[in-house]
Amino acid sequence: MPSKTCNVVVLLSGSGSNLQALIDSSLGQDSPVQIRGVISNRADAYGLERAKAAGIDTAVLQHQGFDGRQAFDAALMALIDGMQPDLVVLAGFMRILSGDFVRHYQGRLLNIHPSLLPKYKGLHTHQRALEAGDTEHGCSVHFVTEELDGGPLVVQAVVAVAPDDTVQSLADRVHHQEHQIYPLAVRWFAQGRLRLGEHGALLDGQPLAASGHLIRP
């Protein structure tokens, strides 16, 4: 395990429940994870309050003031790089990132998505799973590539869909699993166990399956 801590920068746009899970997980004495900063494109994102309560530096970069995505992403990269991250974590960051941004952080950029990828890329995943009559749903952590919600999978958690599930009840159970698997993936990375290889994600030097490490609670 690396002797130094792993500096993590978290990007978010909303309530920051996954950020809270990462903060809670990083508080243990043996944790190699150091959340260096939290950045939001929304000044009213509650995740910023969670960060401040934990003594973590915060910054707001609102996209409305920029002439296009490339200009915003360039400013965002400069802000992130000023925090010297080893890993950048997307935790409900509601912006589609440019190819330049993704390439700049290749191999050190993780995202969490509320479906069992490659199913249901994009939005409204819980509604789509219910409408399709799926018996299983879940969430996925993956390395970010230029394909939207399409990078190599690291870990997935499976949630059984109950006959009486609503979008909200299903979302609640999926969120609970998100809060388990995101800190796990970040810890693996911080420990030097997880990396992006030429042909996909590697854990302890071994290629992960196409579905990543599968967890069935």
Side-chain angles (χ1 to χ4, degrees), residues 29-76:
Q29 287 187 340
D30 60 345
S31 174
V33 176
Q34 173 72 45
I35 301 178
R36 177 69 181 80
V38 173
I39 301 170
S40 178
N41 64 320
R42 294 178 57 97
D44 61 349
Y46 185 66
L48 294 170
E49 300 307 314
R50 295 181 190 269
K52 290 171 185 173
I56 298 168
D57 290 343
T58 63
V60 175
L61 190 69
Q62 293 179 302
H63 54 269
Q64 293 91 338
F66 291 88
D67 183 20
R69 183 181 298 163
Q70 297 284 350
F72 173 81
D73 281 6
L76 181 59

Coordinates of all heavy atoms in Angstrom, one line a residue, residues 29-76:
Q29 N -8.6 5.9 10.6 CA -7.1 6.2 10.7 C -6.3 5.5 9.6 O -5.2 6.0 9.2 CB -6.6 5.8 12.1 CG -7.1 6.7 13.2 CD -6.5 6.3 14.5 OE1 -6.0 5.2 14.7 NE2 -6.5 7.2 15.5
D30 N -6.8 4.4 9.1 CA -6.0 3.6 8.1 C -6.4 4.0 6.7 O -5.9 3.4 5.8 CB -6.1 2.1 8.4 CG -7.6 1.7 8.2 OD1 -8.5 2.5 8.3 OD2 -7.8 0.5 8.1
S31 N -7.2 5.0 6.5 CA -7.7 5.3 5.2 C -6.6 6.1 4.4 O -6.0 7.1 5.0 CB -8.9 6.2 5.2 OG -9.3 6.6 3.9
P32 N -6.2 5.7 3.2 CA -5.3 6.5 2.4 C -5.9 7.6 1.7 O -5.2 8.3 0.9 CB -4.7 5.4 1.5 CG -5.9 4.5 1.2 CD -6.7 4.5 2.5
V33 N -7.2 7.8 1.8 CA -7.9 8.8 1.0 C -7.9 10.1 1.7 O -8.3 10.2 2.9 CB -9.4 8.3 0.8 CG1 -10.2 9.4 0.0 CG2 -9.4 7.0 0.0
Q34 N -7.5 11.2 1.0 CA -7.6 12.5 1.5 C -8.4 13.3 0.5 O -8.0 13.6 -0.6 CB -6.2 13.1 1.6 CG -6.1 14.6 2.0 CD -6.5 14.9 3.4 OE1 -6.0 14.2 4.3 NE2 -7.3 15.9 3.7
I35 N -9.6 13.8 0.9 CA -10.4 14.6 0.0 C -9.9 16.0 0.1 O -10.1 16.7 1.1 CB -11.9 14.5 0.4 CG1 -12.4 13.1 0.3 CG2 -12.8 15.4 -0.5 CD1 -13.9 12.9 0.8
R36 N -9.3 16.4 -1.0 CA -8.5 17.7 -1.1 C -9.4 18.8 -1.3 O -9.2 20.0 -0.9 CB -7.4 17.5 -2.1 CG -6.6 18.8 -2.4 CD -5.7 19.1 -1.2 NE -5.0 20.3 -1.5 CZ -5.5 21.6 -1.4 NH1 -6.7 21.7 -1.0 NH2 -4.7 22.6 -1.7
G37 N -10.5 18.6 -2.1 CA -11.4 19.7 -2.4 C -12.7 19.2 -3.1 O -12.7 18.1 -3.6
V38 N -13.7 20.0 -3.0 CA -15.0 19.8 -3.6 C -15.4 21.0 -4.5 O -15.3 22.1 -4.1 CB -16.1 19.5 -2.6 CG1 -17.5 19.4 -3.2 CG2 -15.8 18.2 -1.8
I39 N -15.7 20.7 -5.8 CA -16.0 21.7 -6.7 C -17.4 21.5 -7.3 O -17.8 20.3 -7.6 CB -15.0 21.7 -7.9 CG1 -13.6 22.0 -7.4 CG2 -15.4 22.8 -8.9 CD1 -12.5 21.7 -8.5
S40 N -18.2 22.5 -7.4 CA -19.6 22.4 -7.9 C -19.8 23.5 -9.0 O -19.2 24.6 -8.9 CB -20.6 22.6 -6.8 OG -21.9 22.6 -7.4
N41 N -20.6 23.2 -10.0 CA -21.0 24.2 -11.0 C -22.3 24.9 -10.5 O -22.8 25.7 -11.3 CB -21.2 23.5 -12.3 CG -22.4 22.5 -12.3 OD1 -22.5 21.7 -11.3 ND2 -23.2 22.4 -13.4
R42 N -22.8 24.5 -9.3 CA -24.0 25.2 -8.8 C -23.7 25.7 -7.4 O -23.3 25.0 -6.5 CB -25.1 24.2 -8.7 CG -25.7 23.7 -10.0 CD -26.8 22.7 -9.8 NE -27.9 23.3 -9.0 CZ -29.0 23.8 -9.5 NH1 -29.2 23.8 -10.8 NH2 -29.9 24.3 -8.7
A43 N -23.9 27.0 -7.2 CA -23.6 27.6 -5.9 C -24.5 27.1 -4.8 O -24.1 27.2 -3.6 CB -23.6 29.1 -6.0
D44 N -25.7 26.6 -5.1 CA -26.7 26.2 -4.1 C -26.6 24.7 -3.9 O -27.5 24.1 -3.2 CB -28.1 26.6 -4.6 CG -28.5 25.9 -5.9 OD1 -27.6 25.4 -6.6 OD2 -29.7 26.0 -6.2
A45 N -25.6 24.0 -4.4 CA -25.5 22.6 -4.2 C -25.2 22.3 -2.7 O -24.3 22.8 -2.1 CB -24.4 22.0 -5.0
Y46 N -26.1 21.4 -2.1 CA -25.9 21.1 -0.7 C -24.6 20.4 -0.4 O -24.1 20.4 0.7 CB -27.1 20.3 -0.2 CG -27.1 20.0 1.3 CD1 -27.2 21.1 2.2 CD2 -26.9 18.8 1.8 CE1 -27.2 20.9 3.6 CE2 -26.9 18.5 3.2 CZ -27.0 19.6 4.0 OH -26.9 19.4 5.4
G47 N -24.1 19.7 -1.4 CA -22.8 19.0 -1.2 C -21.7 19.9 -0.8 O -20.8 19.5 0.0
L48 N -21.8 21.2 -1.1 CA -20.8 22.2 -0.7 C -20.9 22.4 0.8 O -19.8 22.5 1.5 CB -21.0 23.5 -1.4 CG -20.8 23.5 -2.9 CD1 -21.3 24.8 -3.5 CD2 -19.3 23.3 -3.2
E49 N -22.1 22.3 1.4 CA -22.3 22.5 2.8 C -21.7 21.2 3.5 O -21.1 21.3 4.6 CB -23.7 22.6 3.2 CG -24.4 23.9 2.6 CD -23.6 25.1 2.8 OE1 -23.2 25.4 4.0 OE2 -23.4 25.9 1.9
R50 N -21.9 20.1 3.0 CA -21.3 18.8 3.5 C -19.8 19.0 3.6 O -19.2 18.6 4.6 CB -21.7 17.6 2.7 CG -23.2 17.3 2.7 CD -23.4 16.0 1.8 NE -24.8 15.7 1.5 CZ -25.6 15.0 2.3 NH1 -25.1 14.4 3.4 NH2 -26.8 14.7 1.9
A51 N -19.2 19.5 2.5 CA -17.7 19.6 2.5 C -17.3 20.6 3.5 O -16.3 20.3 4.2 CB -17.3 20.0 1.1
K52 N -17.9 21.7 3.6 CA -17.5 22.8 4.6 C -17.6 22.2 6.0 O -16.7 22.5 6.8 CB -18.4 24.0 4.4 CG -18.1 24.8 3.1 CD -19.1 25.9 2.9 CE -18.9 26.6 1.5 NZ -20.0 27.5 1.2
A53 N -18.7 21.4 6.3 CA -18.8 20.9 7.6 C -17.7 19.9 8.0 O -17.4 19.7 9.1 CB -20.2 20.2 7.7
A54 N -17.1 19.3 6.9 CA -16.0 18.4 7.2 C -14.6 19.1 7.1 O -13.6 18.4 7.1 CB -16.1 17.2 6.2
G55 N -14.6 20.4 6.9 CA -13.4 21.1 6.8 C -12.7 21.0 5.5 O -11.4 21.1 5.4
I56 N -13.4 20.7 4.4 CA -12.8 20.5 3.1 C -13.0 21.7 2.3 O -14.0 22.4 2.3 CB -13.5 19.3 2.4 CG1 -13.3 18.0 3.2 CG2 -13.0 19.1 1.0 CD1 -14.2 16.8 2.7
D57 N -11.9 22.1 1.5 CA -12.0 23.3 0.7 C -13.0 23.1 -0.4 O -13.2 22.0 -1.0 CB -10.6 23.5 0.0 CG -9.5 24.0 1.0 OD1 -9.9 24.4 2.1 OD2 -8.3 23.9 0.7
T58 N -13.7 24.2 -0.7 CA -14.7 24.2 -1.7 C -14.5 25.3 -2.8 O -13.9 26.3 -2.5 CB -16.1 24.3 -1.2 OG1 -16.3 25.6 -0.5 CG2 -16.5 23.2 -0.1
A59 N -15.1 25.1 -3.9 CA -15.0 26.1 -5.0 C -16.3 26.0 -5.9 O -16.8 24.9 -6.0 CB -13.8 26.0 -5.8
V60 N -16.7 27.1 -6.4 CA -17.9 27.1 -7.3 C -17.4 27.6 -8.7 O -16.8 28.7 -8.7 CB -19.0 27.9 -6.8 CG1 -20.2 28.0 -7.8 CG2 -19.5 27.3 -5.4
L61 N -17.7 26.9 -9.7 CA -17.4 27.4 -11.1 C -18.7 27.2 -11.9 O -19.0 26.1 -12.3 CB -16.3 26.6 -11.7 CG -15.7 27.1 -13.0 CD1 -14.9 28.4 -12.7 CD2 -14.8 26.1 -13.6
Q62 N -19.4 28.3 -12.1 CA -20.7 28.3 -12.8 C -20.5 28.4 -14.3 O -19.8 29.3 -14.8 CB -21.6 29.4 -12.3 CG -22.0 29.1 -10.8 CD -22.9 30.2 -10.3 OE1 -22.6 31.4 -10.3 NE2 -24.1 29.8 -9.8
H63 N -21.1 27.5 -15.0 CA -20.8 27.4 -16.5 C -21.4 28.5 -17.3 O -21.0 28.8 -18.4 CB -21.3 26.0 -17.0 CG -22.7 25.7 -16.7 ND1 -23.1 25.0 -15.6 CD2 -23.8 26.0 -17.4 CE1 -24.4 24.9 -15.5 NE2 -24.9 25.5 -16.6
Q64 N -22.4 29.2 -16.7 CA -23.1 30.3 -17.4 C -22.2 31.4 -17.9 O -22.4 32.1 -18.9 CB -24.2 30.9 -16.6 CG -25.4 29.9 -16.3 CD -25.2 29.2 -15.0 OE1 -24.0 29.1 -14.5 NE2 -26.3 28.7 -14.4
G65 N -21.1 31.6 -17.2 CA -20.2 32.7 -17.5 C -19.1 32.4 -18.6 O -18.3 33.2 -18.9
F66 N -19.2 31.2 -19.2 CA -18.2 30.8 -20.2 C -18.8 30.7 -21.6 O -20.0 30.3 -21.8 CB -17.6 29.4 -19.7 CG -16.8 29.5 -18.5 CD1 -17.4 29.4 -17.2 CD2 -15.4 29.8 -18.6 CE1 -16.6 29.5 -16.1 CE2 -14.7 29.9 -17.4 CZ -15.3 29.8 -16.2
D67 N -17.9 30.9 -22.6 CA -18.3 30.8 -23.9 C -18.1 29.4 -24.4 O -17.2 29.1 -25.1 CB -17.5 31.8 -24.8 CG -17.9 31.8 -26.2 OD1 -19.0 31.4 -26.5 OD2 -17.1 32.2 -27.1
G68 N -19.0 28.5 -24.0 CA -19.0 27.1 -24.5 C -18.4 26.2 -23.6 O -17.7 26.6 -22.6
R69 N -18.5 24.9 -23.9 CA -18.1 23.8 -23.0 C -16.5 23.8 -22.9 O -16.0 23.5 -21.8 CB -18.6 22.5 -23.5 CG -18.2 21.3 -22.6 CD -18.7 20.0 -23.2 NE -20.2 20.0 -23.3 CZ -20.9 19.2 -24.0 NH1 -20.4 18.3 -24.8 NH2 -22.2 19.3 -24.0
Q70 N -15.9 24.0 -24.0 CA -14.4 23.9 -24.0 C -13.8 25.0 -23.0 O -12.9 24.7 -22.3 CB -13.8 24.1 -25.4 CG -14.2 23.1 -26.4 CD -13.5 21.8 -26.2 OE1 -12.6 21.7 -25.5 NE2 -14.0 20.7 -26.9
A71 N -14.3 26.2 -23.1 CA -13.8 27.2 -22.2 C -14.1 26.9 -20.7 O -13.2 27.1 -19.8 CB -14.4 28.6 -22.6
F72 N -15.3 26.4 -20.4 CA -15.6 26.0 -19.1 C -14.7 24.9 -18.6 O -14.1 24.9 -17.5 CB -17.1 25.6 -18.9 CG -17.4 25.0 -17.6 CD1 -17.7 25.8 -16.5 CD2 -17.5 23.6 -17.4 CE1 -18.1 25.3 -15.3 CE2 -17.8 23.1 -16.2 CZ -18.1 23.9 -15.1
D73 N -14.5 23.9 -19.4 CA -13.7 22.7 -19.0 C -12.2 23.1 -18.8 O -11.6 22.6 -17.9 CB -13.8 21.6 -20.1 CG -15.1 20.8 -19.9 OD1 -15.9 21.2 -19.1 OD2 -15.3 19.8 -20.6
A74 N -11.7 24.1 -19.6 CA -10.4 24.5 -19.4 C -10.2 25.2 -18.1 O -9.2 25.0 -17.4 CB -10.0 25.5 -20.6
A75 N -11.2 26.0 -17.7 CA -11.1 26.7 -16.4 C -11.3 25.7 -15.3 O -10.6 25.8 -14.2 CB -12.2 27.7 -16.3
L76 N -12.1 24.7 -15.5 CA -12.3 23.6 -14.5 C -11.1 22.8 -14.3 O -10.7 22.5 -13.1 CB -13.5 22.7 -14.9 CG -13.9 21.6 -13.9 CD1 -14.3 22.1 -12.6 CD2 -15.0 20.7 -14.5

